[in-house]
Amino acid sequence: MSRIPVPRPGRPVALLALAAGLLGLLAAPPGAPASPRTSPVAAATSVAENTATVFYWTKTKNWAAPRLHYAPDGGSWTTVPGVAMEPACADWVKKTVNLGTASGLQATFNDGSGTWDNNGGRNYALGTGNITVRDGVVAHSDPCADTTPSPAAGATVYYSTEALGWSTANLHYQPAGGTWTAVPGVGMQAACAGWWKREVDLGTAASLKAAFNNGNGTWDNNGGSDYTIGTGVSTVRNRVVTANAADPCAATPPDTRPPTAPAGVTATADGVSVLLSWDPATDDRGVTKYQVTRFGGSGGTVVTDTASTVYSDTGLAERTAYTYTVRAVDAAGNVSAASAPATATTGDRPATPATGKPLGTDPRKDPIYFVLTARFNDGDPSNDRGGSQHVKSGNAANDDPMFRGDFKGLIQKLDYVKGLGFSAIWVTPVVLNRSDYDYHGYHGWDFYKVDPRLESAGASYQDLIDAAHAKGMKIYQDVVYNHSSRWGAKGLFVPTVYGVRDAQWSWYYDEKQPGFEYDGLTVDTKSGKAYYNGDLWSTAEPVGNTCVNWGKPTGGKSAEGYTVYNCQWPSPTSGMFPKALYHQCWIGNWEGEDSRSCWLHEDLADFDTENATVQNYLIGAYDKYIDMGVDGFRVDTAVHIPRTTWNRRFLPAIQERVTRRHGAEAAANFFVFGEVAAFVNDKWNRGSVNHSAQFYTWKERKEYDADDTRAALEMYAYEQQRGTGDQPTSTNAFLEGNSYHAPDHSRFSGMNVIDMRMHMNFGDAQNAFSNGKDSDDSYNDATYNVVYVDSHDYGPNKSSERYAGGTDAWAENMSLMWTFRGIPTLYYGSEIEFQKGKKIDCGPACPLAGTGRAYFGDHLAGSVTATDFSQVSAASGAVATTLQQPLVRHVQRLNQIRRAIPALQAGQYSTEGVTGGMAFKRRYTSGSTDSFALVTVSGGASFTGVPNGTYTDAVTGDVRTVTDGTLSVAAPGKGNLRVYVLNGPGRIGTAGPYLK
């Protein structure tokens, strides 16, 4: 028989799929019609069984003479190129074919001149009746049904498929008192983007019952209730019927209305900077930006655009009055009237520069050393603080206050970190925290202030940034956008807590002290302890209390056996927090929508990040640290904020600020990497794309509602419906054969991520490698993934202990991390297997000294001098002993090798033509740089089809000349490594306990 020369799967598969679809209708699954009507069986038999009318969409083909080449099931194919199709209606052609006794047909389409659509080599399996084929999607409908205007008593129905992703839509309806149309109903016509339209003649009926479907068995029947639609124009969108609606496809009238003038403008001077803030303006279609106009000073009038309602104007003249007005601008360019002016007078210029500048280089070049600043090294004991849990936790018995390490201690040991070979340091959050146990930094209270328990004279946060930069090292700041402390956020909202302060609790809760403001460091002289707790504690309910059930016992007891009362601590359901700024629920489903709109823990008050006031508070706060010159942000709890909010608000604000302050190149290399926690071993987090790490690396692929809350819900539903099989993919991490290709970052969101899948599988390096590469096509660019074995939260497989797989296993993990794609990251102390097997965190229930967050400074005592990365020229004391440990020497050399071979930093990779367990090839090409490397970790490997030439192993110096495209490597042993580099530099570094 005649057919186009492409392979096809067997017909039985297609018939089974069709049968399954019919059974789905008969069984009335969720979404199928639910009211009395013509049954699907009767409807199916009402269509002639031996004919098929095939409609084909030509708009995207632009074919002049489309042909249908087909074979009835069990019959012969037509002669190539098939039978001519006839015009049907706009953008559609059709052909009715006689199938005899066959119940379907195989089909392909062509332009009559050799260009074919054969469904990607599978052909189309079609049934009987009216069938549409549109851009590869088969459905059952008549797209050219009569569209003549209906009489005045008719109904015009618009249906939105924006959140459904349907490629066709049918209206299945019943006029009041009439009968249902045959399943699947009548085809609707494409009206405009996301909308379908159908005009219905109701005769004498005043309404109709309706359900909608995509022609393939997927129904929207209003949750089983069907839709009731009246006469005139109605819209159905996201299960909401709007009667007497405006035509959603009518041309939008031009926007000529300007926004309201911004109100509440305030200007506050700090040195030679002025911080402006104002209330959001309103507009019928949304404000897109603000124009800030500055008057005064020698610079004259200056106009600056900003996307937020917070603006920091820096580098001004000393002791000079500046006046500001603000105007709002909408998308059409309409500009509001100017706000009322606000004036501030600057003071003296700080003795040291107020801002730094990021190093601005490719972040993939910089291995990361991660420290809990308060637990790393103590340079200034005067800022140590134990907090209210100092004794109870057991820390007092160990003379180990929770806030112990500081910036001064880290500055003192920058040479230790550089001597290990690391050129980036990830520090835990630096903002002023407030809770009973907040040394880690994740209970932010004043986001605009650095916690004084970390700073010292001559060792401010700015001093740390500057000192690191002077040594060629970056600072990545851990930031939190999702939540504040349970005591709120200063400058946004701080709850007033009216707790019961009776004889049981007076020892614990502070009295309100007029004029005293919490700063985490200062101890109130009356109470003799720092303010970690409430604002006002009393024995009678004060006026103004908003907390629910004040003073009533909860029924529980404290650890001391005391009665616990409502309102002693803030909580989401207490009534203490405004709904506009904070969410009001406890998290239930960690992979559901409430994971992004509820509190994670009592100490983590969940911001409503879709609220503009909250957004501007956070954007303004983190602008400060961008101005100080940090090199990037590690984003805590990123998955608990909708991707739409990141992509619309926070990520663009970061880019805007870095570009304005430091230039476009610095912005391009400002490294943002998010914690999208997915503690499972599969590619997609329990099948939920919205809660998977790779999902956050992509821009949105459609427009959503202008309101951020509604947009988040729309995006969630749309992407969940698209599912794991219909997500963006990328080849940015992969070689094309042996060739590097320019990556396409046009769809990049601006956020990279921690590689949670590798992290979860690092109990064994081979598992981490296999699972990691299996996910790489779903990231925008996996070469930017941050890769670690364990952290301050978890070890592999969600273990609550620090990794304890043994020194050999650690060496193997490191060898993989430092040569495979991604950015290797080491949690402090892992270079000596610090606290291996110890529980990482148990809160104040046990002393920190016995956990994975123990103080590390004892191992760093003494002096150390680094002359270059991985090069220590002098060391004495305990740190000298630390530097002699086997994994220290291992990571030093790994950093040397990685730093010398560009392919290991930014190269794409492939396992094509490679045999062996953890073996791969990598290449990076840019300008005059062309770096190609063949890598095997622990085991033997062979590489075929590689470029001929001279390869040198960076570990041993072994030289191989390849003439037949093949290079074989014997197993170097566990933790060892071979890196054969084409035209390579030779052996790098000296042999150690593993790299030898």
Side-chain angles (χ1 to χ4, degrees), residues 633-972:
F633 288 156
R634 180 267 186 183
V635 182
D636 182 71
T637 52
V639 70
H640 299 293
I641 295 175
R643 189 179 73 177
T644 46
T645 304
W646 284 117
N647 289 352
R648 286 181 173 192
R649 310 301 176 199
F650 296 137
L651 295 171
I654 291 171
Q655 279 291 301
E656 177 191 36
R657 190 66 174 194
V658 179
T659 301
R660 180 189 301 168
R661 297 294 300 156
H662 308 299
E665 184 176 359
N669 289 309
F670 189 88
F671 190 45
V672 179
F673 58 105
E675 178 206 26
V676 183
F679 298 114
V680 292
N681 293 324
D682 51 351
K683 182 173 182 177
W684 297 96
N685 186 3
R686 295 180 175 87
S688 174
V689 296
N690 278 277
H691 299 87
S692 300
Q694 56 268 48
F695 183 75
Y696 279 75
T697 66
W698 297 96
K699 287 181 178 179
E700 305 306 334
R701 46 183 170 169
K702 68 188 298 293
E703 291 293 326
Y704 299 106
D705 196 284
D707 177 81
D708 286 349
T709 299
R710 288 194 291 269
L713 294 172
E714 290 176 1
M715 183 273 296
Y716 181 88
Y718 176 76
E719 294 292 356
Q720 290 296 88
Q721 189 273 334
R722 298 292 288 263
T724 61
D726 189 18
Q727 293 298 312
T729 59
S730 168
T731 62
N732 285 339
F734 305 117
L735 294 173
E736 295 178 347
N738 294 314
S739 299
Y740 178 87
H741 64 92
D744 176 9
H745 294 148
S746 62
R747 294 180 294 165
F748 176 50
S749 67
M751 180 185 289
N752 298 287
V753 291
I754 294 168
D755 197 318
M756 296 301 294
R757 194 173 185 195
M758 287 194 73
H759 165 50
M760 284 290 98
N761 283 278
F762 253 122
D764 175 79
Q766 178 66 60
N767 283 342
F769 174 66
S770 300
N771 280 275
K773 63 189 180 71
D774 175 57
S775 299
D776 284 353
D777 64 339
S778 58
Y779 294 99
N780 182 266
D781 191 341
T783 65
Y784 288 87
N785 284 13
V786 169
V787 182
Y788 57 60
V789 173
D790 62 1
S791 72
H792 60 323
D793 287 325
Y794 291 104
N797 295 312
K798 205 178 181 181
S799 166
S800 59
E801 290 83 34
R802 287 193 75 155
Y803 183 71
T807 309
D808 289 353
W810 250 124
E812 186 175 55
N813 287 342
M814 290 178 178
S815 292
L816 175 63
M817 285 195 294
W818 262 257
T819 55
F820 188 46
R821 59 88 186 124
I823 302 172
T825 301
L826 200 67
Y827 182 39
Y828 80 98
S830 292
E831 65 272 21
I832 62 169
E833 297 178 86
F834 181 59
Q835 299 296 89
K836 62 182 179 181
K838 297 295 180 66
K839 190 173 183 65
I840 294 172
D841 175 34
C842 56
C846 69
L848 282 165
T851 72
R853 299 177 176 181
Y855 177 67
F856 192 57
D858 294 338
H859 296 276
L860 303 176
S863 64
V864 57
T865 302
T867 53
D868 203 349
F869 294 104
S870 300
Q871 300 291 326
V872 175
S873 61
S876 63
V879 71
T881 302
T882 298
L883 288 166
Q884 292 304 311
Q885 300 308 302
L887 290 178
V888 169
R889 295 175 61 192
H890 186 55
V891 79
Q892 284 176 316
R893 194 171 183 207
L894 283 171
N895 273 323
Q896 282 182 297
I897 292 171
R898 188 179 189 275
R899 197 172 297 280
I901 302 171
L904 302 184
Q905 302 168 25
Q908 295 162 345
Y909 78 94
S910 173
T911 57
E912 179 185 350
V914 180
T915 62
M918 291 178 283
F920 45 91
K921 52 188 177 183
R922 296 190 69 184
R923 191 170 205 155
Y924 176 71
T925 306
S926 178
S928 61
T929 299
D930 186 6
S931 176
F932 184 74
L934 308 176
V935 179
T936 183
V937 179
S938 297
S942 63
F943 303 86
T944 59
V946 300
N948 291 330
T950 301
Y951 291 78
T952 305
D953 178 23
V955 177
T956 65
D958 179 49
V959 178
R960 303 282 189 89
T961 300
V962 174
T963 59
D964 60 354
T966 301
L967 190 151
S968 295
V969 185

Side-chain angles (χ1 to χ4, degrees), residues 348-633:
D348 294 330
R349 189 176 304 279
T352 57
T355 60
K357 186 174 180 63
L359 296 184
T361 55
D362 189 332
R364 294 173 295 180
K365 296 181 178 180
D366 302 301
I368 302 169
Y369 192 73
F370 170 36
V371 302
L372 267 72
T373 311
R375 306 303 299 159
F376 185 65
N377 188 55
D378 192 4
D380 179 9
S382 71
N383 59 13
D384 294 355
R385 291 293 183 274
S388 63
Q389 304 296 302
H390 189 47
V391 174
K392 179 181 177 181
S393 65
N395 290 338
N398 294 318
D399 193 21
D400 184 27
M402 59 166 182
F403 264 96
R404 189 172 178 184
D406 46 38
F407 296 143
K408 186 173 184 178
L410 182 51
I411 291 170
Q412 290 172 347
K413 301 305 175 184
L414 287 176
D415 270 23
Y416 170 76
V417 179
K418 185 171 184 175
L420 295 178
F422 292 93
S423 48
I425 301 175
W426 158 12
V427 296
T428 39
V430 304
V431 304
L432 175 59
N433 268 229
R434 186 175 186 182
S435 79
D436 294 329
Y437 217 54
D438 53 7
Y439 64 94
H440 43 68
Y442 298 100
H443 298 167
W445 184 68
D446 188 345
F447 286 70
Y448 285 76
K449 182 177 181 178
V450 175
D451 200 307
R453 291 169 289 186
L454 297 174
E455 293 194 304
S456 309
S460 66
Y461 186 39
Q462 186 70 65
D463 292 326
L464 169 64
I465 295 168
D466 295 344
H469 287 174
K471 293 181 181 293
M473 302 166 71
K474 295 179 177 178
I475 295 293
Y476 295 149
Q477 179 178 329
D478 210 323
V479 294
V480 184
Y481 286 76
N482 177 67
H483 57 263
S484 70
S485 74
R486 68 180 177 190
W487 306 104
K490 182 186 176 186
L492 180 70
F493 176 78
V494 176
T496 298
V497 182
Y498 299 116
V500 172
R501 187 176 187 270
D502 58 13
Q504 294 182 107
W505 292 104
S506 60
W507 66 275
Y508 187 76
Y509 295 116
D510 301 315
E511 293 181 276
K512 182 73 172 179
Q513 301 300 318
F516 184 92
E517 180 174 275
Y518 168 82
D519 65 6
L521 184 67
T522 305
V523 175
D524 171 55
T525 55
K526 180 175 181 179
S527 66
K529 59 185 179 182
Y531 264 52
Y532 291 102
N533 303 302
D535 301 295
L536 178 62
W537 300 87
S538 59
T539 54
E541 181 174 5
V543 176
N545 171 53
T546 61
C547 186
V548 178
N549 295 320
W550 182 91
K552 295 181 180 179
T554 64
K557 297 286 185 179
S558 72
E560 299 83 4
Y562 299 158
T563 299
V564 177
Y565 298 96
N566 286 299
C567 309
Q568 286 183 284
W569 300 276
S571 77
T573 57
S574 64
M576 297 181 184
F577 289 85
K579 292 181 179 180
L581 304 179
Y582 283 88
H583 291 130
Q584 307 287 305
C585 53
W586 293 110
I587 192 170
N589 180 3
W590 287 83
E591 276 74 47
E593 178 55 33
D594 65 335
S595 71
R596 301 186 301 179
S597 56
C598 296
W599 288 36
L600 309 180
H601 186 270
E602 64 178 354
D603 276 327
L604 310 177
D606 200 76
F607 287 131
D608 182 350
T609 52
E610 285 62 72
N611 177 281
T613 302
V614 173
Q615 292 168 356
N616 292 325
Y617 174 82
L618 293 167
I619 290 169
Y622 290 124
D623 280 352
K624 168 179 178 173
Y625 306 105
I626 290 172
D627 292 352
M628 293 173 74
V630 296
D631 300 275
F633 288 156

Side-chain angles (χ1 to χ4, degrees), residues 6-9 106-108 118-125 136:
V6 292
R8 299 191 307 274
Q106 294 280 310
T108 63
N118 57 21
N119 194 24
R122 299 183 296 275
N123 299 337
Y124 291 97

